[in-house]
């Protein structure tokens, strides 16, 4: 008798749980079918041969994607086959953020995105992100809402506490323009109404740091298009570590000339903010990322002119190879990887807030 009662109890527990907080097999299958329909669009919006094909594919993908997200408890569905979109869950699983990119040509890149909140009843609560990068000359100087987002493709979310307030730090990539890329370290918090806000007064520098005399609300690094500039989180040291840059052409005013010099900077979370560390000891930059073998600076901090010239020549060759890809005024779109997603601006009639 006790065994029968136990079985009945377990049955009702499972039934209740599935009804209240889990993706049912029927809904999972419905999302899967929609995912299969929009996968082709997600690939085409990155790799389409012409800009209008990419824009059209993006529009069709966005509509289908929102339709799939509207299905109850879609929050737990991974969308693994959609590899042209970055999909990141917050460390506390309170939300996830989608980001992707639209490329018109090699001079024009715009990001798109949305934040999906976890809800008790499994219904959709979605905040679309509108890239406003084109409409500001000072992207680091303000806290912004979702309609004035500084676009980036996010590849890491960190969580820290400022008292009882959760502070999420986003690491992102932006192809920016024809001559330079950008890496972003942005702040995400939620206001008293649960609405997302980007940026915050969480970056601290030494008082004598000329580079940042005024308060910044997000941190960016711009560098030469062909360079490999890394910004990552070191779990062991519990800090954000990134390459220090210098101008390879001795033109510090031109950020598109900046390349890694073999040394590192960092941010460490202390006293409820990210404290800047101007110079880190030469070390491995994360697992499997050794220091640059062809560092521009020697051990004494002097510029190695030979290495500098070698890197400049290499970059010139890369530029020539890239220009050879353009025929009949058509740009060959770059193939994207799963982690570094290059992706568009969101039109109000395509994605709305739910």
């Amino acid at each position: 008798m006790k065994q029968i009662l136990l079985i009945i109890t377990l049955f009702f527990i499972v039934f209740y749980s599935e009804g209240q907080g889990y993706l049912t097999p029927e809904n999972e299958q419905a999302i899967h079918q929609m995912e299969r329909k929009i996968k082709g669009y997600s690939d085409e919006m990155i790799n389409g041969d012409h800009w209008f094909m990419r824009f059209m594919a993006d529009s069709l993908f966005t509509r289908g994607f929102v339709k799939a997200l509207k299905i109850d408890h879609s929050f737990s569905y991974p969308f693994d086959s959609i590899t042209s979109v970055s999909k990141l869950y917050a460390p506390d699983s309170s939300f996830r953020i989608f980001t992707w990119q639209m490329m018109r040509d090699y001079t024009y890149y715009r990001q798109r995105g949305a934040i999906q909140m976890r809800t008790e009843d499994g219904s959709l609560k979605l905040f679309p992100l509108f890239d406003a990068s084109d409409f500001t000359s000072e992207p680091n100087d303000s806290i912004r809402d979702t309609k004035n987002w500084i676009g980036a493709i996010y590849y890491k979310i960190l969580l820290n506490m400022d008292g009882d307030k959760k502070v999420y730090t986003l690491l992102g990539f932006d192809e920016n323009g024809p001559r330079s890329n950008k890496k972003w370290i942005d702040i995400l918090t939620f206001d008293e109404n649960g609405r997302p806000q980007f940026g915050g007064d969480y970056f601290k520098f030494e008082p004598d740091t000329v580079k940042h005399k005024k308060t910044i609300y997000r941190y960016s690094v711009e560098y030469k298009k062909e360079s490999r500039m890394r910004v990552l989180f070191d779990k062991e040291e519990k800090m954000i570590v990134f390459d220090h840059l210098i101008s390879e052409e001795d033109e510090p005013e031109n950020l598109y000339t900046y390349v890694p010099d073999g040394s590192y900077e960092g941010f460490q979370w202390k006293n409820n903010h990210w404290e800047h560390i101007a110079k880190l000891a030469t070390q491995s930059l994360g697992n499997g990322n050794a220091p640059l073998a062809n560092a521009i600076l020697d051990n004494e901090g002097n510029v190695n002119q030979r290495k500098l010239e070698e890197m400049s020549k290499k970059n010139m060759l890369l530029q020539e190879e890239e220009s050879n890809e353009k025929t009949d005024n058509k740009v060959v779109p770059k193939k994207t990887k799963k982690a570094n997603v290059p992706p568009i601006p969101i039109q109000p009639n395509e994605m709305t807030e739910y």
Side-chain angles (χ1 to χ4, degrees):
M1 184 65 180
K2 290 182 178 180
Q3 290 180 338
I4 295 176
L5 290 174
L6 179 61
I7 292 172
I8 294 174
T9 302
L10 290 173
F11 172 80
F12 278 107
I13 290 174
V14 172
F15 178 80
Y16 179 82
S17 298
E18 289 187 351
Q20 297 296 316
Y22 292 93
L23 183 64
T24 65
E26 292 78 13
N27 284 350
E28 182 176 13
Q29 181 61 26
I31 298 176
H32 179 67
Q33 290 177 354
M34 181 57 64
E35 180 185 22
R36 292 179 61 185
K37 290 181 180 179
I38 64 176
K39 183 184 183 306
Y41 299 137
S42 71
D43 295 336
E44 184 73 8
M45 69 186 183
I46 305 302
N47 300 318
D49 289 336
H50 199 280
W51 70 266
F52 71 81
M53 295 172 62
R54 298 193 291 275
F55 273 70
M56 178 70 74
D58 175 87
S59 178
L60 294 170
F61 167 78
T62 302
R63 295 172 191 174
F65 191 42
V66 172
K67 186 174 181 180
L69 291 175
K70 284 183 178 180
I71 299 173
D72 285 348
H73 299 292
S74 66
F75 186 81
S76 61
Y77 189 85
F79 293 97
D80 283 339
S81 72
I82 309 298
T83 57
S84 59
V85 174
S86 170
K87 307 170 287 289
L88 294 179
Y89 282 95
D92 59 358
S93 294
S94 59
F95 67 91
R96 64 174 169 176
I97 186 166
F98 306 102
T99 48
W100 67 100
Q101 178 173 284
M102 181 62 194
M103 171 184 165
R104 184 186 65 195
D105 53 47
Y106 74 101
T107 68
Y108 180 95
Y109 302 89
R110 287 298 171 268
Q111 283 73 44
R112 305 195 61 155
I115 296 175
Q116 182 186 15
M117 306 301 298
R118 184 181 64 186
T119 58
E120 291 293 331
D121 62 358
S123 62
L124 179 61
K125 186 175 183 181
L126 189 71
F127 296 100
L129 305 178
F130 299 84
D131 188 354
S133 303
D134 258 2
F135 308 106
T136 178
S137 59
E138 297 289 342
N140 299 332
D141 70 349
S142 57
I143 295 175
R144 294 168 171 268
D145 61 21
T146 56
K147 295 180 180 180
N148 295 282
W149 173 56
I150 300 299
I153 307 305
Y154 297 126
Y155 55 87
K156 185 72 175 178
I157 301 180
L158 308 173
L159 172 59
N160 294 290
M161 300 300 297
D162 179 9
D164 59 355
K165 182 179 183 179
K166 292 182 177 181
V167 178
Y168 302 91
T169 302
L170 307 171
L171 307 185
F173 170 74
D174 174 14
E175 284 208 70
N176 190 47
R179 306 180 78 175
S180 67
N181 294 330
K182 283 187 176 182
K183 290 289 180 71
W184 287 95
I185 304 175
D186 208 345
I187 300 295
L188 173 62
T189 56
F190 292 86
D191 64 18
E192 61 276 7
N193 297 316
R195 302 183 67 84
Q197 294 183 130
F198 291 90
D201 186 10
Y202 287 102
F203 298 95
K204 304 298 181 185
F205 299 84
E206 291 294 328
D208 60 347
T209 302
V210 178
K211 187 177 180 181
H212 297 289
K213 286 186 175 180
K214 62 181 182 180
T215 300
I216 64 168
Y217 294 88
R218 61 188 52 81
Y219 185 81
S220 63
V221 182
E222 186 173 350
Y223 59 98
K224 191 162 185 173
K225 195 76 175 176
E226 297 80 13
S227 295
R228 184 191 179 201
M229 194 275 168
R230 295 161 294 180
V231 178
L232 53 85
F233 182 68
D234 188 320
K235 292 183 179 179
E236 294 182 1
E237 299 295 332
K238 297 182 179 179
M239 67 169 58
I240 299 171
V241 180
F242 53 99
D243 291 291
H244 178 74
L245 305 176
I246 63 171
S247 174
E248 69 173 349
E249 299 174 16
D250 196 24
E251 299 175 2
E253 71 280 5
N254 294 324
L255 299 181
Y256 57 82
T257 68
Y258 276 61
V259 295
D261 67 3
S263 62
Y264 307 106
E265 300 178 53
F267 284 106
Q268 193 160 38
W269 186 263
K270 291 183 178 180
N271 301 320
N272 301 328
H273 64 258
W274 287 111
E275 184 175 301
H276 182 242
I277 303 171
K279 181 103 174 157
L280 296 176
T282 302
Q283 59 185 12
S284 172
L285 189 57
N287 295 331
N289 291 300
L292 295 177
N294 56 345
I296 292 175
L297 295 184
D298 60 24
N299 293 332
E300 284 71 42
N302 301 313
V303 175
N304 186 323
Q305 293 294 337
R306 183 177 62 82
K307 292 292 184 184
L308 187 59
E309 291 175 5
E310 288 177 359
M311 291 185 70
S312 297
K313 290 178 181 178
K314 181 179 179 181
N315 286 334
M316 290 174 64
L317 289 173
L318 287 171
Q319 284 182 314
E320 289 177 5
E321 290 175 3
E322 183 177 295
S323 65
N324 289 336
E325 292 179 356
K326 307 182 186 80
T327 56
D328 300 325
N329 295 321
K330 180 178 71 175
V331 176
V332 179
K334 297 178 182 178
K335 303 296 181 180
T336 59
K337 298 179 181 178
K338 186 172 183 178
N340 265 348
V341 208
I344 214 180
I346 301 174
Q347 302 302 323
N349 63 339
E350 294 175 8
M351 185 180 289
T352 54
E353 190 173 307
Y354 292 91

